[in-house]
Structures are given as structure tokens and as C-alpha cells.
Amino acid sequence: MRARPSGTIRTCVLLALLAATGIAILELVREQTGTSGFFVGLGLALLPVAPLMAAFRWLGRAAPAPWSQLLFCFGWGACTAALIAILANNFATEWIAAATADASAADHLGSVAIAPVVEESAKAAALLLVFAFRRRHFTGPADGFVVAGFTATGFAFTENILYLGNAFVEDLAEDSGALESVTAATFFVRIVLSPFAHPLFTVLTGLGFGVAAVSARRSRRIFLPLLGLALAMGMHALWNGSSQFGEHGFYVVYACVMVPAFGLLVWLAVRIRRDRLRAVARELSLYAAAGWLGPAEVPALASMPARSLARALARRSGGRAAGRTVARYEADAAALALLRNRARRGGPVRERDFAGRERELLHRLWQGRATAGPALARAAVMEELVPPWFDPLAPVGARADVPRPRRVAGAPPAPAAAAAPAPDPGLRRSGPWSSATPAGPSSIRPCVLPGGDGVR
């Protein structure tokens, strides 16, 4: 039986693929637009990139994905997916034109029937790679939303360079004035009116992958991504064919389909983010009751303003290193909460490596708690997330049925603001419904965390 390629080998192969396709797409677009058109298109196409990336990053801040993963998705969309789409669309259009001897019909059929299938499939490949090889960072619909958004933003960036560059070259050839400028019209339609078009299509695929990531049934994990991809292709085809619905077809589709769909997805994004923060609060409260977190840390970790304030407080007192420690602590705590939430819901399949991943995250939290605990406690008080009489330095009231973590010999002492002694990184095996208990005498037996159903 042959061994699977290591993560390092896969990373090198993907980076080489992105570099090769990036060079190829750069030269291909420059040939089609000319050097001057390329730089004009590049400058104009950059304008919506930062706001779109910031919006998708905002959605994923509750449990942020690594920047390396997001930049890979952006690069895949801008380089690999764009190159596949240009080559496949050109080949299909030329083949249809040769078969029908009607170039106009070939262009129309290519834009409505071929381009949506090719482009959405090429973008979906990035989501499939993340879903297959970075499953621990794909914990639900929010991650599908973010990964799809970054991929589609990259694709739209390259496509906008091509369209705007060609429009600029056309204006130069015809010496068009400002009112007749094709560049201005293209900029208005693609950058002002519909910068969200490609992200809107691909997010449907991302939601399919995101829901599949928390589904226990194998059939749903296969069917839901395919359903999302089919919906993305359908909406993309409707958008591309809107100009064929009469003189005002584009504006009708834009006002009656695109804008409502965009509003619906914005509402859904806000709700997903809020539900994710609620899941963080609910699951971390179980660890706080068992003594792994301080009483003020849970409301602070479930509040994005409090998290930001905690990082600022840590930077002010301990420099950038302290701020990074708090940021890692916040990300690990959110990952721990979502891991437990996904396992409780029966995610694939009840998180086979739940105990090992939980142990890893708890150990990392223990290492950063001396810095992060006080900062989060102060942030909770300053943001009024706890009552004004609350003392963040007070110890947690012990529960008779929940063992508290203990410190091993030689380990650093617990921080002053922590609500319990520092946890021992040597943990007994636990399940999604039972607490992670410290290694100790046999008289300390595992127990079910508060709120667990106790069913295995």
C-alpha cells in the first residue's frame, strides 16, 4: 500500500501550480489587453478587492482561518481558475462557431451555457481541496462562506483586469470621449454595480460544502456541495443571459434577482456569525465550569469587541508578542468550542480524532493563559460583559461533580487572573460529551460536562 503524500509535498505542489498558472495568466491577459491596457485594468480591478476581502474576513473572525489558506484560495481563483476558464471558454466558443458557422450564436451560447459551468467548477475545486485536506479548518457554513468568497474575489479580480483592459484599448482606438467611454461603462457595471456577482455565485457552493462539513450522513456530504454548485451555475447563467431578456433585461435581473439574493446572503452571513459566537459561548462555558477557563473569559471570547480590546490591552502591556499570544489564544478557544459543537452534532463522523484535537487545543490554551487570561478578564469588565460588582480575580466555585485541572510538578503557576490552576497537558481520553480530565489518581473519574447528554 502506497503512503499518501505528506503535507509538505502537497503544499509545494500546490504552490508550484499556482506559480505556473499565475505566470501563464499574466502573460495571456497582457497579450489580450496590451501593456497599457493591462496596467489600467490592474489598477481599476484592485479597487473592490480589499473591501470584499475585509467583508469575508469579518464573517470568519469568530474562528479565523489561517491567512495562508485564504491567500491560497484567492490565488487559486485569480490564477488557476481564471486560466482554466479562459482556455476552456475560448476552446468551446471556437468549437461551437465552427460547428454552427454563427459566431454571434456561439458567443451567446458560450456565455450562458459553457462559461457558468466551467467557471463555477474551476472555483469549486479550491473549496474541494480545502474541504478534503484542511478539514479541521472547515467547521461549518461560515468557513464555506469565507473560502468561497476569497476564491471568487480572486477570480473576479483577474476577469476585471481583462474586461477593463480591453475596454481601455477600445477607447484608445476609437478616441472616445468621457461620455462615450467604454472603460467608464465597464467600470460602472463591474466595479460599482456588481462587484459581488462572482462571490454571490460561488458562496452558494461554499454553503453546500459548509453544511456538508457538519453533516453526519455520507449522502448529504456528497449531495449538498453538488446542489450548491448547481445553484451557483444556474444563477451565473441567469446573470450572463440577462442581456437577452430585452432592452432592460439586465436591469430587471439585477433589481429582481441579484440585489434580493445579495441582501439575503448578507442577512444569512450576519446570522451565521451571531450563531457561531453563541456556540462559542455555549461550549466554552462547559470548559469554564470544569475549570479550564476563567469565569470572565467566556463572555469575552464570545464578543468580538472584547477580543479586540483584549489584544490591545496585551499589546499595551507586553508588546506585539503579547498581542499575538492573545490572538492565538482566542483562535484556539474558538476552535475548541466549534470542535466540540461539531462533534456533539454528529459531524463526520462524531470527530474520530476528537480527543487528540481537544487535548492539543487545551494544551495550547494552558500555555497562553498567563498572558491571555488577565487581558480577557479586563476586557470583559471594560466592555460591561460581566456585572459591575464582578471580580475577575475571584476563584470559580468548585463543583463536586466536575474535576478541576491540576498543575503538575515543574509547570508554571496559574496566572493571577485565571479562575483555576493551570491545566495539566497530560489528559485522559475524552469524548464529545465528556469532559477532558487531568491525568491523576484513579479516584478521579471522568464525568459528563454540564449540558452534555451523556449519550455515546
PDB file of all heavy atoms in Angstrom, residues 104 145 169 175 189 208 321 324 353:
ATOM      1  N   SER A 104     -21.963  34.857 -33.625  1.00  0.00           N
ATOM      2  CA  SER A 104     -22.789  35.530 -32.623  1.00  0.00           C
ATOM      3  C   SER A 104     -23.509  34.521 -31.734  1.00  0.00           C
ATOM      4  O   SER A 104     -23.545  34.659 -30.508  1.00  0.00           O
ATOM      5  CB  SER A 104     -23.809  36.433 -33.321  1.00  0.00           C
ATOM      6  OG  SER A 104     -24.663  37.042 -32.380  1.00  0.00           O
ATOM      7  N   PHE A 145     -18.537  29.947   3.459  1.00  0.00           N
ATOM      8  CA  PHE A 145     -18.789  31.316   3.022  1.00  0.00           C
ATOM      9  C   PHE A 145     -17.472  32.044   2.756  1.00  0.00           C
ATOM     10  O   PHE A 145     -17.281  32.667   1.700  1.00  0.00           O
ATOM     11  CB  PHE A 145     -19.573  32.040   4.120  1.00  0.00           C
ATOM     12  CG  PHE A 145     -20.641  32.965   3.621  1.00  0.00           C
ATOM     13  CD1 PHE A 145     -21.977  32.694   3.854  1.00  0.00           C
ATOM     14  CD2 PHE A 145     -20.308  34.124   2.936  1.00  0.00           C
ATOM     15  CE1 PHE A 145     -22.964  33.553   3.408  1.00  0.00           C
ATOM     16  CE2 PHE A 145     -21.286  34.998   2.496  1.00  0.00           C
ATOM     17  CZ  PHE A 145     -22.626  34.709   2.724  1.00  0.00           C
ATOM     18  N   VAL A 169      -8.317  49.736 -24.252  1.00  0.00           N
ATOM     19  CA  VAL A 169      -7.719  49.652 -25.592  1.00  0.00           C
ATOM     20  C   VAL A 169      -8.733  50.077 -26.649  1.00  0.00           C
ATOM     21  O   VAL A 169      -8.395  50.770 -27.616  1.00  0.00           O
ATOM     22  CB  VAL A 169      -7.216  48.218 -25.855  1.00  0.00           C
ATOM     23  CG1 VAL A 169      -6.785  48.055 -27.307  1.00  0.00           C
ATOM     24  CG2 VAL A 169      -6.058  47.886 -24.922  1.00  0.00           C
ATOM     25  N   ASP A 175     -10.691  56.745 -29.897  1.00  0.00           N
ATOM     26  CA  ASP A 175     -10.543  58.108 -29.368  1.00  0.00           C
ATOM     27  C   ASP A 175     -11.851  58.596 -28.746  1.00  0.00           C
ATOM     28  O   ASP A 175     -12.334  59.693 -29.027  1.00  0.00           O
ATOM     29  CB  ASP A 175     -10.083  59.061 -30.477  1.00  0.00           C
ATOM     30  CG  ASP A 175      -9.554  60.384 -29.905  1.00  0.00           C
ATOM     31  OD1 ASP A 175      -9.191  60.396 -28.716  1.00  0.00           O
ATOM     32  OD2 ASP A 175      -9.522  61.382 -30.660  1.00  0.00           O
ATOM     33  N   VAL A 189     -20.444  49.085 -14.421  1.00  0.00           N
ATOM     34  CA  VAL A 189     -21.202  47.841 -14.332  1.00  0.00           C
ATOM     35  C   VAL A 189     -20.492  46.808 -13.461  1.00  0.00           C
ATOM     36  O   VAL A 189     -21.103  46.174 -12.592  1.00  0.00           O
ATOM     37  CB  VAL A 189     -21.462  47.272 -15.743  1.00  0.00           C
ATOM     38  CG1 VAL A 189     -22.051  45.862 -15.649  1.00  0.00           C
ATOM     39  CG2 VAL A 189     -22.405  48.183 -16.516  1.00  0.00           C
ATOM     40  N   GLY A 208     -22.892  24.923   0.479  1.00  0.00           N
ATOM     41  CA  GLY A 208     -23.090  23.478   0.352  1.00  0.00           C
ATOM     42  C   GLY A 208     -21.985  22.690   1.031  1.00  0.00           C
ATOM     43  O   GLY A 208     -22.243  21.739   1.781  1.00  0.00           O
ATOM     44  N   ALA A 321       4.355  40.769  20.901  1.00  0.00           N
ATOM     45  CA  ALA A 321       4.373  39.337  21.204  1.00  0.00           C
ATOM     46  C   ALA A 321       3.190  38.956  22.087  1.00  0.00           C
ATOM     47  O   ALA A 321       2.547  37.916  21.877  1.00  0.00           O
ATOM     48  CB  ALA A 321       5.687  38.959  21.880  1.00  0.00           C
ATOM     49  N   ARG A 324       0.032  38.935  19.985  1.00  0.00           N
ATOM     50  CA  ARG A 324      -0.074  37.718  19.173  1.00  0.00           C
ATOM     51  C   ARG A 324      -0.461  36.515  20.022  1.00  0.00           C
ATOM     52  O   ARG A 324      -1.215  35.644  19.568  1.00  0.00           O
ATOM     53  CB  ARG A 324       1.243  37.464  18.445  1.00  0.00           C
ATOM     54  CG  ARG A 324       1.518  38.430  17.306  1.00  0.00           C
ATOM     55  CD  ARG A 324       2.662  37.932  16.449  1.00  0.00           C
ATOM     56  NE  ARG A 324       3.918  37.926  17.191  1.00  0.00           N
ATOM     57  CZ  ARG A 324       4.785  38.924  17.214  1.00  0.00           C
ATOM     58  NH1 ARG A 324       4.520  40.041  16.529  1.00  0.00           N
ATOM     59  NH2 ARG A 324       5.922  38.844  17.889  1.00  0.00           N
ATOM     60  N   ASP A 353     -11.046  11.976  15.683  1.00  0.00           N
ATOM     61  CA  ASP A 353      -9.862  12.379  16.438  1.00  0.00           C
ATOM     62  C   ASP A 353     -10.212  13.482  17.437  1.00  0.00           C
ATOM     63  O   ASP A 353      -9.402  14.353  17.713  1.00  0.00           O
ATOM     64  CB  ASP A 353      -8.767  12.851  15.478  1.00  0.00           C
ATOM     65  CG  ASP A 353      -7.423  13.018  16.173  1.00  0.00           C
ATOM     66  OD1 ASP A 353      -7.149  12.242  17.102  1.00  0.00           O
ATOM     67  OD2 ASP A 353      -6.664  13.937  15.802  1.00  0.00           O
TER      68      ASP A 353
END
